[in-house]
């Protein structure tokens, strides 16, 4: 049975066909053994009933001391067979006989089964099925009386019952299978509804699926809804990145076009007036500006394509005091141990200081503040602060006011991102602004 079941499991069928096939197998496994047991039990019960009826009739004849004539009538009641009376030697009725004497109810050639005479001699009853004849005998004072009843009707009972059971069973099987198939079809309808809903989904339509009526489908629907929600956010991020890339390309082309146009103009002046010193100075200035812009673009591109960096433990206060105090920082407030790559940390600090000195005013100082598992490095100035329309977009490429390439704070944000940190810009209540980078605390401090 295991081999056919494994074959069914490997068939490439639809879920509906698989369930219908399993239903048919289950009904067959139920009805076939039940039919076999029913037929066998009916045969056994019929034979036992026949045996009881025959023994009961024989008992009556023994009690009435009846003879062969009455025994013949009993044989006819059972639809045929033979009756017999046995006289044993030395018993009443045959005191001088040497061999048992047997009287039959008809003149056919009969032979008693083995062990019957011995049982009667010991005063025991006898019952045995030989071929299609059931031999029964009860002891009497003279010897015994018995029947040989044909059980052809009982033997034919299984085939008759099987035929009846087959006809009725097949009808019941078809009816049960039809009802089960109808019920399975209705039960599987929610899966078809979910399939239809899924077929309507596409990258532009990722609405959540409705809650299914089938409890077993709810975990799958919840997982699909979560997946579609994540896909929606991913598509939104891709769209935002595309827009950002478009703005970046537009800004880069615009920013490069201006110094190139100016440089071309100065060079044209030089071509007409070789002795013009101011034109040479302008050309050099624009060339330096274009060089700075290109260097910033390359740095930003390298950071955007770089994966996460682990870095090494860095003492921020010592790092800043050693390199930037007092020339570019008036003071460093606080202490911090962070995990950072020195070259990238230097790049971020250089751009923070450049932004503060170029767009701020007054004293520029650094403030180190603890925030959760990491630290903020804030660079504060006393300038006019960020304009309200620029502050939310301060870290986008080419967002600037005044001179500069507009890439400094974008580089700061990229450095923070590759370290697993973040960047922020704020206007101070007392005037001025501060721009900072948050970095994860050093591992040596966490382990200690």
């Amino acid at each position: 049975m295991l081999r056919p079941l494994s074959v069914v499991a490997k068939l490439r069928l639809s879920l509906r066909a698989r369930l219908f096939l399993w239903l048919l197998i289950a009904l067959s496994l139920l009805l076939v053994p039940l039919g076999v047991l029913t037929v066998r039990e009916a045969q056994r019960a019929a034979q036992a009933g026949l045996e009881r009826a025959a023994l009961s009739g024989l008992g009556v004849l023994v009690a009435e001391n009846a003879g062969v004539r009455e025994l013949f009538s009993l044989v006819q009641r059972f639809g045929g067979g033979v009756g017999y009376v046995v006289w044993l030697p030395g018993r009443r009725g045959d005191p001088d006989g040497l061999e048992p004497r047997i009287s039959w109810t008809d003149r056919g050639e009969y032979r008693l089964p083995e062990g019957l005479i011995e049982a009667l001699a010991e005063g025991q009853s006898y019952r045995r099925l030989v071929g299609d004849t059931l031999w029964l005998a009860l002891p009497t004072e003279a010897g015994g009386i018995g029947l040989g009843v044909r059980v052809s009707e009982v033997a034919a009972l299984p085939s008759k019952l099987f035929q009846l059971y087959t006809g009725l069973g097949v009808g019941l099987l078809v009816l049960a299978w039809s009802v089960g198939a109808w019920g399975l079809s209705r039960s599987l309808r929610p899966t078809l509804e979910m399939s239809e809903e899924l077929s309507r989904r596409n990258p532009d339509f990722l609405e959540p699926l409705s809650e299914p009526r089938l409890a077993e489908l709810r975990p799958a629907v919840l997982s699909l809804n979560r997946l579609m929600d994540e896909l929606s956010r991913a598509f939104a991020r891709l769209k935002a990145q595309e827009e950002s890339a478009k703005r970046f390309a537009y800004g880069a082309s615009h920013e490069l076009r201006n110094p190139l146009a100016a440089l071309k103009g100065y060079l044209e002046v030089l071509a007409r007036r070789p002795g013009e010193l101011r034109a040479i100075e302008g050309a050099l200035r624009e060339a330096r500006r274009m060089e700075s812009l290109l260097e910033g673009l390359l740095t930003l591109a390298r950071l955007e394509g770089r994966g996460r960096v682990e870095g090494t433990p860095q003492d921020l206060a010592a790092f800043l005091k050693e390199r930037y105090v007092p020339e570019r920082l008036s003071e460093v407030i606080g202490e911090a141990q962070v995990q950072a790559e020195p070259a990238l940390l230097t790049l971020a600090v250089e751009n923070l200081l450049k932004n503060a000195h170029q767009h701020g005013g007054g004293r520029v100082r650094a403030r180190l503040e603890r925030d959760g598992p990491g630290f903020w490095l804030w660079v504060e100035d006393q300038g006019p602060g960020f304009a309200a329309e620029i502050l939310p977009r301060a870290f986008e490429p080419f967002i600037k006011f005044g001179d500069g390439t507009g890439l400094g704070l974008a580089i700061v944000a990229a450095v923070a991102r590759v370290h697993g940190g973040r960047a922020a810009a704020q206007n101070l209540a007392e005037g001025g602004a501060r721009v900072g980078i948050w970095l994860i605390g050093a591992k040596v401090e966490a382990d200690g």
Side-chain angles (χ1 to χ4, degrees):
M1 182 60 68
L2 291 178
R3 182 174 294 275
L5 294 181
S6 62
V7 171
V8 170
K10 293 179 180 179
L11 290 177
R12 295 185 176 180
L13 301 175
S14 65
L15 177 61
R16 180 192 298 271
R18 284 173 179 261
L19 289 176
F20 287 173
L21 185 56
W22 282 116
L23 175 62
L24 181 61
I25 292 174
L27 289 174
S28 300
L29 291 176
L30 174 66
L31 294 177
V32 171
L34 183 61
V36 173
L37 291 176
T38 301
V39 169
R40 288 183 178 178
E41 189 61 30
Q43 183 183 18
R44 189 179 299 111
Q47 183 174 328
L50 177 62
E51 185 176 324
R52 285 194 300 270
L55 288 175
S56 176
L58 287 176
V60 172
L61 295 182
V62 170
E64 295 178 352
N65 198 19
V68 176
R69 181 178 298 177
E70 290 80 7
L71 185 58
F72 178 79
S73 299
L74 181 62
V75 170
Q76 298 304 311
R77 284 171 51 190
F78 290 102
V82 66
Y84 55 91
V85 178
V86 179
W87 285 274
L88 296 176
R91 298 286 183 92
R92 193 184 72 175
D94 192 14
D96 299 327
L98 298 177
E99 295 290 335
R101 185 165 56 88
I102 304 171
S103 295
W104 303 90
T105 57
D106 62 47
R107 294 183 179 182
E109 293 185 2
Y110 300 102
R111 184 176 178 181
L112 293 177
E114 183 180 353
L116 188 148
I117 298 296
E118 289 79 0
L120 293 178
E122 294 177 3
Q124 297 177 357
S125 61
Y126 180 87
R127 64 184 72 181
R128 184 179 178 186
L129 181 64
V130 180
D132 65 342
T133 303
L134 178 63
W135 293 93
L136 302 169
L138 292 178
T140 62
E141 293 180 359
I145 185 171
L147 291 172
V149 182
R150 296 187 183 279
V151 293
S152 56
E153 290 295 324
V154 176
L157 181 62
S159 61
K160 293 182 179 179
L161 286 176
F162 182 75
Q163 293 174 2
L164 176 64
Y165 187 84
T166 301
L168 184 61
V170 170
L172 291 175
L173 179 64
V174 172
L175 177 62
W177 188 85
S178 301
V179 173
W182 177 79
L184 285 175
S185 297
R186 289 187 61 85
S187 300
L188 290 173
R189 186 172 298 172
T191 62
L192 299 177
E193 294 173 354
M194 188 177 76
S195 177
E196 292 174 358
E197 276 202 76
L198 280 174
S199 66
R200 293 194 294 268
R201 298 302 185 270
N202 56 62
D204 297 322
F205 180 66
L206 292 173
E207 292 294 324
L209 299 173
S210 57
E211 184 175 354
R213 291 179 290 143
L214 197 60
E216 287 77 6
L217 291 177
R218 287 172 188 161
V221 169
L222 289 176
S223 299
L224 286 171
N225 286 341
R226 284 196 296 268
L227 177 61
M228 286 190 287
D229 182 57
E230 292 174 3
L231 286 174
S232 297
R233 290 200 296 268
F235 286 140
R237 287 195 298 270
L238 286 175
K239 191 172 293 184
Q241 290 173 2
E242 290 177 359
E243 293 296 326
S244 177
K246 290 178 181 178
R247 291 197 302 268
F248 183 86
Y250 175 79
S253 62
H254 178 75
E255 292 295 327
L256 286 173
R257 188 181 296 113
N258 291 338
L260 284 175
L263 182 59
K264 182 180 178 182
Y266 285 122
L267 291 176
E268 288 175 351
V269 172
L270 285 175
R272 294 191 299 269
R273 303 170 60 185
E276 183 62 50
L277 181 61
R278 291 178 58 189
I280 296 175
E281 292 175 348
L284 289 174
R285 184 173 62 252
E286 294 301 326
R288 292 191 194 98
R289 181 183 171 199
M290 187 165 56
E291 181 183 21
S292 177
L293 178 62
L294 290 174
E295 184 180 351
L297 286 172
L298 289 174
T299 300
L300 188 59
R302 284 195 295 268
L303 288 173
E304 291 291 344
R306 188 166 181 177
R308 174 76 178 270
V309 298
E310 292 296 330
T312 57
Q314 302 292 326
D315 185 337
L316 271 185
F319 177 87
L320 295 172
K321 290 176 182 178
E322 180 181 350
R323 299 189 182 202
Y324 303 109
V325 176
E327 288 82 5
R328 301 177 67 184
L329 278 174
S330 62
E331 61 178 328
V332 176
I333 303 171
E335 298 287 338
Q337 297 282 339
V338 298
Q339 199 78 11
E341 185 178 295
L344 293 180
L345 179 61
T346 301
L347 180 63
V349 173
E350 288 287 347
N351 280 280
L352 288 173
L353 293 175
K354 184 177 179 180
N355 177 79
H357 283 287
Q358 189 170 0
H359 302 295
R363 294 192 310 163
V364 176
R365 62 185 179 185
R367 186 183 300 274
L368 306 177
E369 294 180 353
R370 180 87 190 206
D371 184 6
F375 293 87
W376 280 102
L377 163 57
W378 296 104
V379 173
E380 301 175 347
D381 62 61
Q382 296 176 331
F386 290 93
E389 66 276 8
I390 291 180
L391 185 59
R393 304 174 60 193
F395 295 96
E396 293 183 16
F398 306 115
I399 298 300
K400 63 179 183 177
F401 56 96
D403 296 331
T405 61
L407 296 176
L409 294 188
I411 292 174
V412 172
V415 170
R417 189 162 49 251
V418 298
H419 282 90
R422 57 188 183 273
Q426 301 171 356
N427 286 328
L428 298 174
E430 62 273 16
R434 67 175 184 173
V435 182
I437 180 174
W438 182 90
L439 299 171
I440 297 174
K443 291 181 179 179
V444 291
E445 181 180 91
D447 294 339

